[in-house]
Structures are given as structure tokens and as C-alpha cells.
Short mmCIF file of all heavy atoms in Angstrom, two decimals:
data_model
loop_
_atom_site.label_atom_id
_atom_site.label_comp_id
_atom_site.label_asym_id
_atom_site.label_seq_id
_atom_site.Cartn_x
_atom_site.Cartn_y
_atom_site.Cartn_z
N GLU A 9 192.23 33.23 100.36
CA GLU A 9 193.53 32.95 101.01
C GLU A 9 194.70 33.45 100.18
O GLU A 9 195.70 33.93 100.69
CB GLU A 9 193.66 31.44 101.23
CG GLU A 9 194.88 31.03 101.94
CD GLU A 9 194.94 29.57 102.35
OE1 GLU A 9 194.09 28.77 101.86
OE2 GLU A 9 195.84 29.21 103.14
N TYR A 10 194.60 33.33 98.89
CA TYR A 10 195.67 33.75 98.00
C TYR A 10 195.80 35.24 97.86
O TYR A 10 196.86 35.81 97.82
CB TYR A 10 195.51 33.10 96.62
CG TYR A 10 196.67 33.35 95.64
CD1 TYR A 10 197.86 32.71 95.75
CD2 TYR A 10 196.54 34.33 94.65
CE1 TYR A 10 198.92 32.93 94.89
CE2 TYR A 10 197.59 34.57 93.79
CZ TYR A 10 198.78 33.88 93.90
OH TYR A 10 199.83 34.15 93.05
N THR A 11 194.63 35.91 97.81
CA THR A 11 194.66 37.37 97.52
C THR A 11 194.41 38.26 98.77
O THR A 11 194.73 39.43 98.74
CB THR A 11 193.55 37.70 96.52
OG1 THR A 11 192.25 37.52 97.16
CG2 THR A 11 193.66 36.92 95.24
N ASN A 12 193.79 37.66 99.78
CA ASN A 12 193.37 38.44 100.99
C ASN A 12 192.34 39.50 100.64
O ASN A 12 192.21 40.50 101.33
CB ASN A 12 194.56 39.05 101.66
CG ASN A 12 194.30 39.33 103.16
OD1 ASN A 12 193.55 38.60 103.83
ND2 ASN A 12 194.85 40.40 103.69
N ASP A 13 191.59 39.27 99.55
CA ASP A 13 190.56 40.17 99.13
C ASP A 13 189.22 39.76 99.77
O ASP A 13 188.74 38.68 99.54
CB ASP A 13 190.46 40.19 97.60
CG ASP A 13 189.54 41.25 97.06
OD1 ASP A 13 188.59 41.66 97.78
OD2 ASP A 13 189.79 41.72 95.93
N ASP A 14 188.66 40.69 100.57
CA ASP A 14 187.48 40.36 101.31
C ASP A 14 186.23 40.03 100.45
O ASP A 14 185.29 39.45 100.95
CB ASP A 14 187.12 41.50 102.26
CG ASP A 14 187.95 41.53 103.49
OD1 ASP A 14 188.66 40.55 103.75
OD2 ASP A 14 187.98 42.57 104.18
N LYS A 15 186.26 40.42 99.19
CA LYS A 15 185.11 40.11 98.30
C LYS A 15 184.83 38.63 98.27
O LYS A 15 183.66 38.19 98.22
CB LYS A 15 185.24 40.69 96.96
CG LYS A 15 186.28 40.03 96.04
CD LYS A 15 186.32 40.68 94.68
CE LYS A 15 187.32 39.96 93.76
NZ LYS A 15 187.40 40.59 92.44
N TYR A 16 185.92 37.84 98.27
CA TYR A 16 185.72 36.39 98.24
C TYR A 16 185.21 35.82 99.56
O TYR A 16 184.29 34.98 99.63
CB TYR A 16 187.06 35.70 97.89
CG TYR A 16 187.65 36.15 96.58
CD1 TYR A 16 188.82 36.88 96.55
CD2 TYR A 16 187.06 35.78 95.35
CE1 TYR A 16 189.40 37.32 95.34
CE2 TYR A 16 187.62 36.21 94.17
CZ TYR A 16 188.80 36.95 94.14
OH TYR A 16 189.33 37.37 92.97
N LYS A 17 185.73 36.32 100.65
CA LYS A 17 185.34 35.90 101.98
C LYS A 17 183.85 36.29 102.22
O LYS A 17 183.11 35.45 102.71
CB LYS A 17 186.17 36.53 103.05
CG LYS A 17 185.78 36.19 104.47
CD LYS A 17 186.66 36.88 105.51
CE LYS A 17 186.29 38.32 105.62
NZ LYS A 17 186.99 38.98 106.77
N ASN A 18 183.48 37.50 101.81
CA ASN A 18 182.12 37.92 102.09
C ASN A 18 181.11 37.08 101.37
O ASN A 18 180.05 36.71 101.92
CB ASN A 18 181.97 39.40 101.65
CG ASN A 18 182.83 40.35 102.48
OD1 ASN A 18 183.19 40.02 103.64
ND2 ASN A 18 183.10 41.52 101.96
N LEU A 19 181.38 36.72 100.11
CA LEU A 19 180.46 35.83 99.40
C LEU A 19 180.47 34.41 99.96
O LEU A 19 179.42 33.81 100.14
CB LEU A 19 180.80 35.81 97.90
CG LEU A 19 179.85 34.95 97.04
CD1 LEU A 19 178.37 35.34 97.21
CD2 LEU A 19 180.22 35.07 95.56
N ALA A 20 181.65 33.91 100.32
CA ALA A 20 181.74 32.60 100.92
C ALA A 20 180.94 32.51 102.21
O ALA A 20 180.33 31.46 102.49
CB ALA A 20 183.21 32.23 101.15
N GLN A 21 180.94 33.55 102.96
CA GLN A 21 180.18 33.56 104.25
C GLN A 21 178.68 33.53 103.96
O GLN A 21 177.92 32.97 104.75
CB GLN A 21 180.60 34.75 105.13
CG GLN A 21 182.00 34.55 105.72
CD GLN A 21 182.34 35.61 106.75
OE1 GLN A 21 182.49 36.79 106.39
NE2 GLN A 21 182.38 35.24 107.97
N LYS A 22 178.26 34.16 102.88
CA LYS A 22 176.87 34.07 102.47
C LYS A 22 176.49 32.63 102.10
O LYS A 22 175.40 32.15 102.34
CB LYS A 22 176.53 35.01 101.31
CG LYS A 22 176.61 36.48 101.73
CD LYS A 22 176.33 37.39 100.53
CE LYS A 22 176.38 38.89 100.97
NZ LYS A 22 176.14 39.79 99.82
N HIS A 23 177.46 31.92 101.53
CA HIS A 23 177.26 30.49 101.23
C HIS A 23 177.08 29.70 102.52
O HIS A 23 176.36 28.68 102.54
CB HIS A 23 178.48 29.98 100.44
CG HIS A 23 178.50 30.43 99.02
ND1 HIS A 23 179.25 29.85 98.05
CD2 HIS A 23 177.84 31.44 98.39
CE1 HIS A 23 179.08 30.46 96.89
NE2 HIS A 23 178.21 31.41 97.08
N THR A 24 177.77 30.07 103.61
CA THR A 24 177.63 29.36 104.87
C THR A 24 176.16 29.51 105.34
O THR A 24 175.56 28.55 105.85
CB THR A 24 178.56 29.97 105.97
OG1 THR A 24 179.92 29.86 105.46
CG2 THR A 24 178.41 29.21 107.24
N ILE A 25 175.59 30.68 105.19
CA ILE A 25 174.18 30.89 105.55
C ILE A 25 173.29 30.05 104.73
O ILE A 25 172.33 29.41 105.23
CB ILE A 25 173.81 32.37 105.42
CG1 ILE A 25 174.64 33.23 106.42
CG2 ILE A 25 172.34 32.61 105.62
CD1 ILE A 25 174.52 34.72 106.18
N ALA A 26 173.57 29.93 103.41
CA ALA A 26 172.75 29.08 102.52
C ALA A 26 172.90 27.60 102.92
O ALA A 26 171.90 26.87 102.86
CB ALA A 26 173.22 29.30 101.08
N ALA A 27 174.07 27.22 103.33
CA ALA A 27 174.26 25.85 103.80
C ALA A 27 173.50 25.58 105.06
O ALA A 27 173.01 24.45 105.29
CB ALA A 27 175.78 25.57 103.97
N ARG A 28 173.38 26.54 105.95
CA ARG A 28 172.58 26.41 107.17
C ARG A 28 171.11 26.23 106.79
O ARG A 28 170.42 25.33 107.32
CB ARG A 28 172.78 27.62 108.09
CG ARG A 28 171.69 27.85 109.14
CD ARG A 28 171.62 26.64 110.09
NE ARG A 28 172.70 26.66 111.07
CZ ARG A 28 172.88 25.74 112.00
NH1 ARG A 28 171.99 24.72 112.08
NH2 ARG A 28 173.88 25.76 112.85
N LYS A 29 170.62 27.01 105.91
CA LYS A 29 169.22 26.92 105.45
C LYS A 29 168.97 25.50 104.84
O LYS A 29 167.92 24.95 105.05
CB LYS A 29 168.94 28.00 104.41
CG LYS A 29 168.88 29.38 105.00
CD LYS A 29 168.65 30.46 103.97
CE LYS A 29 168.59 31.86 104.51
NZ LYS A 29 168.36 32.89 103.44
N ARG A 30 169.93 25.00 104.10
CA ARG A 30 169.76 23.69 103.52
C ARG A 30 169.66 22.64 104.60
O ARG A 30 168.78 21.75 104.53
CB ARG A 30 171.01 23.38 102.65
CG ARG A 30 171.05 21.95 102.10
CD ARG A 30 172.21 21.78 101.16
NE ARG A 30 172.29 20.39 100.65
CZ ARG A 30 173.06 20.04 99.61
NH1 ARG A 30 173.75 20.96 98.96
NH2 ARG A 30 173.04 18.76 99.21
N LEU A 31 170.45 22.71 105.62
CA LEU A 31 170.43 21.73 106.70
C LEU A 31 169.09 21.82 107.45
O LEU A 31 168.44 20.77 107.77
CB LEU A 31 171.58 21.96 107.65
CG LEU A 31 171.79 20.84 108.75
CD1 LEU A 31 172.28 19.56 108.07
CD2 LEU A 31 172.78 21.33 109.80
N GLU A 32 168.59 23.03 107.71
CA GLU A 32 167.35 23.20 108.42
C GLU A 32 166.13 22.79 107.63
O GLU A 32 165.17 22.31 108.20
CB GLU A 32 167.25 24.66 108.87
CG GLU A 32 168.25 25.03 109.93
CD GLU A 32 168.19 26.52 110.36
OE1 GLU A 32 167.45 27.30 109.65
OE2 GLU A 32 168.84 26.87 111.35
N ALA A 33 166.25 22.90 106.30
CA ALA A 33 165.14 22.51 105.45
C ALA A 33 165.00 20.98 105.41
O ALA A 33 163.93 20.45 105.25
CB ALA A 33 165.35 23.01 104.04
N GLY A 34 166.12 20.24 105.58
CA GLY A 34 166.08 18.79 105.62
C GLY A 34 165.73 18.21 104.26
O GLY A 34 165.87 18.82 103.19
N GLY A 35 165.27 16.98 104.29
CA GLY A 35 164.93 16.30 103.04
C GLY A 35 166.08 15.75 102.27
O GLY A 35 167.22 15.68 102.77
N GLY A 36 165.87 15.44 100.99
CA GLY A 36 166.82 14.76 100.17
C GLY A 36 168.16 15.45 100.10
O GLY A 36 169.19 14.73 100.10
N PRO A 37 168.26 16.77 100.02
CA PRO A 37 169.57 17.40 99.88
C PRO A 37 170.54 17.17 101.08
O PRO A 37 171.71 17.48 100.90
CB PRO A 37 169.20 18.90 99.80
CG PRO A 37 167.84 18.87 99.14
CD PRO A 37 167.14 17.72 99.76
N VAL A 38 170.02 16.72 102.21
CA VAL A 38 170.93 16.42 103.32
C VAL A 38 170.82 14.94 103.77
O VAL A 38 171.37 14.57 104.78
CB VAL A 38 170.71 17.35 104.49
CG1 VAL A 38 171.11 18.77 104.18
CG2 VAL A 38 169.23 17.35 104.98
N GLU A 39 170.10 14.14 103.00
CA GLU A 39 169.96 12.72 103.33
C GLU A 39 170.98 11.90 102.56
O GLU A 39 170.64 11.06 101.75
CB GLU A 39 168.53 12.23 103.06
CG GLU A 39 167.46 12.90 103.92
CD GLU A 39 167.58 12.54 105.37
OE1 GLU A 39 168.21 11.52 105.71
OE2 GLU A 39 167.04 13.33 106.22
N ASN A 40 172.30 12.16 102.82
CA ASN A 40 173.32 11.43 102.15
C ASN A 40 174.65 11.63 102.89
O ASN A 40 174.75 12.49 103.78
CB ASN A 40 173.45 11.89 100.67
CG ASN A 40 173.75 13.38 100.59
OD1 ASN A 40 174.83 13.83 100.85
ND2 ASN A 40 172.71 14.15 100.20
#
């Protein structure tokens, strides 16, 4: 947001994918 540099957005969007995998895996990491 501060720099408008896509390198930050691109990595953050990969984190969204990782967060989806976490939710689909279930178990302790999403039981809270």
C-alpha cells in the first residue's frame, strides 16, 4: 500500500493460497 510495488502483493497473494491450504487441511491450526 505504501510503495505500490507489486513484489509485496505477489508474495502476499501466495500467502492467501497457503491460508486456503491451512483451512482445507483442518485440525489444530484452525480449531481456535
Side-chain angles (χ1 to χ4, degrees):
E9 184 172 11
Y10 185 77
T11 66
N12 204 33
D13 189 330
D14 282 346
K15 72 178 182 181
Y16 301 112
K17 180 182 73 172
N18 293 339
L19 181 54
Q21 288 188 291
K22 291 179 180 179
H23 286 195
T24 302
I25 296 171
R28 163 61 76 181
K29 291 178 180 178
R30 174 177 179 165
L31 190 67
E32 291 177 349
V38 291
E39 296 294 339
N40 58 73

